[in-house]
mmCIF file with all atom_site columns, all heavy atoms in Angstrom:
data_model
loop_
_atom_site.group_PDB
_atom_site.id
_atom_site.type_symbol
_atom_site.label_atom_id
_atom_site.label_alt_id
_atom_site.label_comp_id
_atom_site.label_asym_id
_atom_site.label_entity_id
_atom_site.label_seq_id
_atom_site.pdbx_PDB_ins_code
_atom_site.Cartn_x
_atom_site.Cartn_y
_atom_site.Cartn_z
_atom_site.occupancy
_atom_site.B_iso_or_equiv
_atom_site.pdbx_formal_charge
_atom_site.auth_seq_id
_atom_site.auth_comp_id
_atom_site.auth_asym_id
_atom_site.auth_atom_id
_atom_site.pdbx_PDB_model_num
ATOM 1  N N   . CYS A 1 122 ? 78.827 192.993 149.506 1.00 0.00 ? 150 CYS A N   1
ATOM 2  C CA  . CYS A 1 122 ? 78.013 192.189 150.432 1.00 0.00 ? 150 CYS A CA  1
ATOM 3  C C   . CYS A 1 122 ? 76.613 191.955 149.877 1.00 0.00 ? 150 CYS A C   1
ATOM 4  O O   . CYS A 1 122 ? 76.049 190.865 150.016 1.00 0.00 ? 150 CYS A O   1
ATOM 5  C CB  . CYS A 1 122 ? 77.920 192.874 151.798 1.00 0.00 ? 150 CYS A CB  1
ATOM 6  S SG  . CYS A 1 122 ? 79.438 192.802 152.751 1.00 0.00 ? 150 CYS A SG  1
ATOM 7  N N   . ASN A 1 123 ? 76.045 192.974 149.244 1.00 0.00 ? 151 ASN A N   1
ATOM 8  C CA  . ASN A 1 123 ? 74.708 192.843 148.672 1.00 0.00 ? 151 ASN A CA  1
ATOM 9  C C   . ASN A 1 123 ? 74.686 191.781 147.576 1.00 0.00 ? 151 ASN A C   1
ATOM 10 O O   . ASN A 1 123 ? 73.763 190.973 147.496 1.00 0.00 ? 151 ASN A O   1
ATOM 11 C CB  . ASN A 1 123 ? 74.228 194.185 148.115 1.00 0.00 ? 151 ASN A CB  1
ATOM 12 C CG  . ASN A 1 123 ? 74.084 195.242 149.183 1.00 0.00 ? 151 ASN A CG  1
ATOM 13 O OD1 . ASN A 1 123 ? 74.000 194.944 150.370 1.00 0.00 ? 151 ASN A OD1 1
ATOM 14 N ND2 . ASN A 1 123 ? 74.069 196.487 148.767 1.00 0.00 ? 151 ASN A ND2 1
ATOM 15 N N   . TYR A 1 124 ? 75.711 191.789 146.716 1.00 0.00 ? 152 TYR A N   1
ATOM 16 C CA  . TYR A 1 124 ? 75.794 190.777 145.668 1.00 0.00 ? 152 TYR A CA  1
ATOM 17 C C   . TYR A 1 124 ? 75.987 189.385 146.262 1.00 0.00 ? 152 TYR A C   1
ATOM 18 O O   . TYR A 1 124 ? 75.400 188.408 145.784 1.00 0.00 ? 152 TYR A O   1
ATOM 19 C CB  . TYR A 1 124 ? 76.923 191.102 144.674 1.00 0.00 ? 152 TYR A CB  1
ATOM 20 C CG  . TYR A 1 124 ? 76.405 191.819 143.468 1.00 0.00 ? 152 TYR A CG  1
ATOM 21 C CD1 . TYR A 1 124 ? 76.377 193.203 143.420 1.00 0.00 ? 152 TYR A CD1 1
ATOM 22 C CD2 . TYR A 1 124 ? 75.915 191.114 142.368 1.00 0.00 ? 152 TYR A CD2 1
ATOM 23 C CE1 . TYR A 1 124 ? 75.880 193.876 142.319 1.00 0.00 ? 152 TYR A CE1 1
ATOM 24 C CE2 . TYR A 1 124 ? 75.421 191.778 141.266 1.00 0.00 ? 152 TYR A CE2 1
ATOM 25 C CZ  . TYR A 1 124 ? 75.405 193.148 141.246 1.00 0.00 ? 152 TYR A CZ  1
ATOM 26 O OH  . TYR A 1 124 ? 74.904 193.804 140.158 1.00 0.00 ? 152 TYR A OH  1
ATOM 27 N N   . LEU A 1 125 ? 76.820 189.281 147.283 1.00 0.00 ? 153 LEU A N   1
ATOM 28 C CA  . LEU A 1 125 ? 77.031 187.981 147.917 1.00 0.00 ? 153 LEU A CA  1
ATOM 29 C C   . LEU A 1 125 ? 75.748 187.468 148.561 1.00 0.00 ? 153 LEU A C   1
ATOM 30 O O   . LEU A 1 125 ? 75.456 186.266 148.511 1.00 0.00 ? 153 LEU A O   1
ATOM 31 C CB  . LEU A 1 125 ? 78.162 188.061 148.940 1.00 0.00 ? 153 LEU A CB  1
ATOM 32 C CG  . LEU A 1 125 ? 79.548 188.287 148.344 1.00 0.00 ? 153 LEU A CG  1
ATOM 33 C CD1 . LEU A 1 125 ? 80.580 188.505 149.452 1.00 0.00 ? 153 LEU A CD1 1
ATOM 34 C CD2 . LEU A 1 125 ? 79.959 187.140 147.441 1.00 0.00 ? 153 LEU A CD2 1
ATOM 35 N N   . LEU A 1 126 ? 74.969 188.364 149.144 1.00 0.00 ? 154 LEU A N   1
ATOM 36 C CA  . LEU A 1 126 ? 73.690 187.973 149.728 1.00 0.00 ? 154 LEU A CA  1
ATOM 37 C C   . LEU A 1 126 ? 72.746 187.449 148.648 1.00 0.00 ? 154 LEU A C   1
ATOM 38 O O   . LEU A 1 126 ? 72.078 186.433 148.847 1.00 0.00 ? 154 LEU A O   1
ATOM 39 C CB  . LEU A 1 126 ? 73.044 189.148 150.465 1.00 0.00 ? 154 LEU A CB  1
ATOM 40 C CG  . LEU A 1 126 ? 71.690 188.847 151.100 1.00 0.00 ? 154 LEU A CG  1
ATOM 41 C CD1 . LEU A 1 126 ? 71.840 187.828 152.231 1.00 0.00 ? 154 LEU A CD1 1
ATOM 42 C CD2 . LEU A 1 126 ? 71.047 190.125 151.611 1.00 0.00 ? 154 LEU A CD2 1
ATOM 43 N N   . ALA A 1 127 ? 72.697 188.114 147.500 1.00 0.00 ? 155 ALA A N   1
ATOM 44 C CA  . ALA A 1 127 ? 71.864 187.640 146.395 1.00 0.00 ? 155 ALA A CA  1
ATOM 45 C C   . ALA A 1 127 ? 72.318 186.240 145.962 1.00 0.00 ? 155 ALA A C   1
ATOM 46 O O   . ALA A 1 127 ? 71.490 185.360 145.700 1.00 0.00 ? 155 ALA A O   1
ATOM 47 C CB  . ALA A 1 127 ? 71.923 188.622 145.225 1.00 0.00 ? 155 ALA A CB  1
ATOM 48 N N   . GLY A 1 128 ? 73.624 186.027 145.911 1.00 0.00 ? 156 GLY A N   1
ATOM 49 C CA  . GLY A 1 128 ? 74.146 184.712 145.563 1.00 0.00 ? 156 GLY A CA  1
ATOM 50 C C   . GLY A 1 128 ? 73.794 183.662 146.602 1.00 0.00 ? 156 GLY A C   1
ATOM 51 O O   . GLY A 1 128 ? 73.493 182.513 146.267 1.00 0.00 ? 156 GLY A O   1
ATOM 52 N N   . LEU A 1 129 ? 73.826 184.052 147.861 1.00 0.00 ? 157 LEU A N   1
ATOM 53 C CA  . LEU A 1 129 ? 73.463 183.137 148.933 1.00 0.00 ? 157 LEU A CA  1
ATOM 54 C C   . LEU A 1 129 ? 71.997 182.729 148.813 1.00 0.00 ? 157 LEU A C   1
ATOM 55 O O   . LEU A 1 129 ? 71.653 181.552 148.974 1.00 0.00 ? 157 LEU A O   1
ATOM 56 C CB  . LEU A 1 129 ? 73.738 183.798 150.284 1.00 0.00 ? 157 LEU A CB  1
ATOM 57 C CG  . LEU A 1 129 ? 73.586 182.955 151.534 1.00 0.00 ? 157 LEU A CG  1
ATOM 58 C CD1 . LEU A 1 129 ? 74.494 181.734 151.481 1.00 0.00 ? 157 LEU A CD1 1
ATOM 59 C CD2 . LEU A 1 129 ? 73.904 183.792 152.759 1.00 0.00 ? 157 LEU A CD2 1
ATOM 60 N N   . LEU A 1 130 ? 71.126 183.685 148.492 1.00 0.00 ? 158 LEU A N   1
ATOM 61 C CA  . LEU A 1 130 ? 69.712 183.362 148.293 1.00 0.00 ? 158 LEU A CA  1
ATOM 62 C C   . LEU A 1 130 ? 69.532 182.388 147.130 1.00 0.00 ? 158 LEU A C   1
ATOM 63 O O   . LEU A 1 130 ? 68.736 181.451 147.209 1.00 0.00 ? 158 LEU A O   1
ATOM 64 C CB  . LEU A 1 130 ? 68.903 184.635 148.060 1.00 0.00 ? 158 LEU A CB  1
ATOM 65 C CG  . LEU A 1 130 ? 68.753 185.541 149.280 1.00 0.00 ? 158 LEU A CG  1
ATOM 66 C CD1 . LEU A 1 130 ? 68.244 186.915 148.864 1.00 0.00 ? 158 LEU A CD1 1
ATOM 67 C CD2 . LEU A 1 130 ? 67.831 184.905 150.314 1.00 0.00 ? 158 LEU A CD2 1
ATOM 68 N N   . ALA A 1 131 ? 70.286 182.597 146.064 1.00 0.00 ? 159 ALA A N   1
ATOM 69 C CA  . ALA A 1 131 ? 70.222 181.688 144.922 1.00 0.00 ? 159 ALA A CA  1
ATOM 70 C C   . ALA A 1 131 ? 70.724 180.297 145.319 1.00 0.00 ? 159 ALA A C   1
ATOM 71 O O   . ALA A 1 131 ? 70.165 179.280 144.893 1.00 0.00 ? 159 ALA A O   1
ATOM 72 C CB  . ALA A 1 131 ? 71.035 182.249 143.759 1.00 0.00 ? 159 ALA A CB  1
ATOM 73 N N   . ALA A 1 132 ? 71.754 180.241 146.154 1.00 0.00 ? 160 ALA A N   1
ATOM 74 C CA  . ALA A 1 132 ? 72.286 178.955 146.611 1.00 0.00 ? 160 ALA A CA  1
ATOM 75 C C   . ALA A 1 132 ? 71.285 178.211 147.487 1.00 0.00 ? 160 ALA A C   1
ATOM 76 O O   . ALA A 1 132 ? 71.182 176.985 147.419 1.00 0.00 ? 160 ALA A O   1
ATOM 77 C CB  . ALA A 1 132 ? 73.602 179.163 147.360 1.00 0.00 ? 160 ALA A CB  1
ATOM 78 N N   . VAL A 1 133 ? 70.531 178.956 148.294 1.00 0.00 ? 161 VAL A N   1
ATOM 79 C CA  . VAL A 1 133 ? 69.513 178.341 149.149 1.00 0.00 ? 161 VAL A CA  1
ATOM 80 C C   . VAL A 1 133 ? 68.473 177.618 148.295 1.00 0.00 ? 161 VAL A C   1
ATOM 81 O O   . VAL A 1 133 ? 68.013 176.527 148.642 1.00 0.00 ? 161 VAL A O   1
ATOM 82 C CB  . VAL A 1 133 ? 68.846 179.408 150.050 1.00 0.00 ? 161 VAL A CB  1
ATOM 83 C CG1 . VAL A 1 133 ? 67.584 178.882 150.703 1.00 0.00 ? 161 VAL A CG1 1
ATOM 84 C CG2 . VAL A 1 133 ? 69.825 179.894 151.100 1.00 0.00 ? 161 VAL A CG2 1
#
Side-chain angles (χ1 to χ4, degrees):
C150 287
N151 297 341
Y152 264 92
L153 292 174
L154 179 66
L157 187 58
L158 290 166
V161 167

